[in-house]
Amino acid sequence: MSLSIVKENTEMQLNVNNNVTTAQASNKLVFDTKDLNLWYGNTHALKDINLQINEKEVTAIIGPSGCGKSTYLKTLNRMVELVPTVRTTGEIMYKGKSILDKSFKVEDLRTHVGMVFQKPNPFPKSIYDNIAYGPRIHGIRNKKILDEIVEKSLRGAYIWDEVKDRLKENAYGLSGGQQQRLCIARTLAIEPDVILMDEPTSALDPKSTLKIEDLVQELKKDYSIIIVTHNMQQAARISDRTAFFLDGEVVEFDVTDTIFTNPADKRTEDYISGRFG
């Protein structure tokens, strides 16, 4: 059974209770966050977040350290629930279905919403086994199919030509930039709809950073990408829309060109111009 069939079954489950409005459908929303609040114990980390994320766009989330950027990103695939003291109110709709509903299985969500972390985190396995891990978890055992998935994913992450003769080698032998692209390929192997990226280039050199940025531009043709970044120039270069977070709130969310050239809120202008943060 191919991974596409596994995902199709999950999509059918999502469509049964699809409450997306006609207006939302025309905007091709992938995520619709409504009045989201989140607490770590007594700390109110996210406050009345309302954001609509479009399909096949790059959405950047910017803001100073501790403003809630990464916390919000981790709510989108429910990784934040790994913190025992977390409590949330509000809704996050993924294609019309609430991901915070108890009936929405977190395993299904993470099949559709992949995650790339700040530091490359390849498994201590071969390059091949890193990519094949997800498909195997989903029940794919046929070597021919796995070979095809591995090659397609590595090509999709623009790293195939660099590793095609090293597939049996340990992934730790790759450079930092290559490891990050390998992790992106590993995410692509499960055929997600959305790729979450939490400062994916902060640990990389400028040359590797440029390769990741070029890759993001290619990936948005097929995927919705949400990227947290501290790098203002990076957000301006690669994103279609930008959200500015401050103290757990969304101060402003608009087309990236507008955010960087004509922000509506003085706090946005102050942050982008380097007056704080």
Side-chain angles (χ1 to χ4, degrees):
M1 180 169 59
S2 75
L3 186 55
S4 296
I5 294 175
V6 174
K7 289 173 63 61
E8 184 178 350
N9 290 337
T10 306
E11 287 283 5
M12 290 174 63
Q13 177 190 349
L14 291 176
N15 290 334
V16 168
N17 296 310
N18 194 337
N19 296 319
V20 67
T21 67
T22 302
Q24 289 172 334
S26 65
N27 290 332
K28 296 182 180 179
L29 290 183
V30 62
F31 277 114
D32 188 4
T33 303
K34 302 175 181 179
D35 300 321
L36 176 69
N37 286 270
L38 181 144
W39 292 263
Y40 292 115
N42 294 323
T43 302
H44 197 177
L46 295 178
K47 305 167 186 174
D48 297 320
I49 303 296
N50 288 278
L51 278 179
Q52 294 184 324
I53 309 295
N54 289 343
E55 288 187 333
K56 295 184 180 178
E57 286 188 352
V58 178
T59 302
I61 302 177
I62 63 173
S65 297
C67 68
K69 304 186 302 295
S70 294
T71 293
Y72 175 67
L73 199 71
K74 291 173 184 175
T75 64
L76 297 179
N77 70 348
R78 289 174 52 184
M79 282 195 64
V80 74
E81 294 177 6
L82 297 174
V83 181
T85 59
V86 158
R87 179 170 59 91
T88 60
T89 62
E91 283 187 330
I92 302 176
M93 309 297 288
Y94 167 70
K95 294 189 174 181
K97 184 171 175 62
S98 174
I99 68 170
L100 301 180
D101 190 284
K102 300 277 187 193
S103 65
F104 200 127
K105 295 181 180 178
V106 70
E107 296 84 3
D108 292 339
L109 176 64
R110 291 176 188 165
T111 298
H112 292 273
V113 183
M115 183 88 173
V116 177
F117 296 91
Q118 182 174 2
K119 294 182 179 179
N121 62 337
F123 300 143
K125 301 174 180 288
S126 70
I127 293 169
Y128 183 99
D129 286 339
N130 263 269
I131 308 303
Y133 180 83
R136 283 171 174 155
I137 290 293
H138 286 87
I140 298 176
R141 295 288 183 266
N142 184 292
K143 188 173 187 307
K144 183 179 179 182
I145 294 176
L146 287 172
D147 288 348
E148 291 173 353
I149 291 173
V150 168
E151 180 174 348
K152 179 182 177 182
S153 302
L154 290 169
R155 285 188 182 277
Y158 283 63
I159 193 174
W160 170 254
D161 289 338
E162 298 169 45
V163 302
K164 62 184 179 182
D165 299 321
R166 305 170 58 186
L167 296 180
K168 293 183 180 180
E169 295 181 16
N170 194 296
Y172 286 173
L174 299 174
S175 69
Q178 288 174 324
Q179 286 186 17
Q180 192 65 299
R181 281 182 286 145
L182 177 73
C183 292
I184 292 172
R186 189 176 66 197
T187 299
L188 298 182
I190 61 170
E191 299 178 354
D193 298 318
V194 182
I195 302 175
L196 309 177
M197 295 184 167
D198 192 359
E199 298 190 56
T201 63
S202 64
L204 304 181
D205 60 75
K207 184 177 179 180
S208 296
T209 294
L210 183 60
K211 287 185 177 181
I212 297 294
E213 290 183 2
D214 289 343
L215 173 57
V216 167
Q217 292 301 296
E218 287 298 315
L219 290 176
K220 80 170 184 178
K221 296 174 183 176
D222 299 303
Y223 305 92
S224 309
I225 299 173
I226 307 169
I227 181 169
V228 165
T229 179
H230 272 108
N231 187 323
M232 297 300 97
Q233 292 80 13
Q234 182 174 80
R237 283 193 299 265
I238 70 173
S239 67
D240 299 289
R241 298 176 190 272
T242 297
F244 171 50
F245 277 52
L246 183 65
D247 297 329
E249 300 178 354
V250 178
V251 172
E252 193 167 350
F253 179 49
D254 209 329
V255 174
T256 294
D257 285 347
T258 300
I259 290 287
F260 281 90
T261 62
N262 189 29
D265 193 294
K266 188 177 186 302
R267 292 171 293 175
T268 309
E269 181 181 355
D270 288 347
Y271 179 71
I272 289 172
S273 63
R275 293 192 183 99
F276 73 91

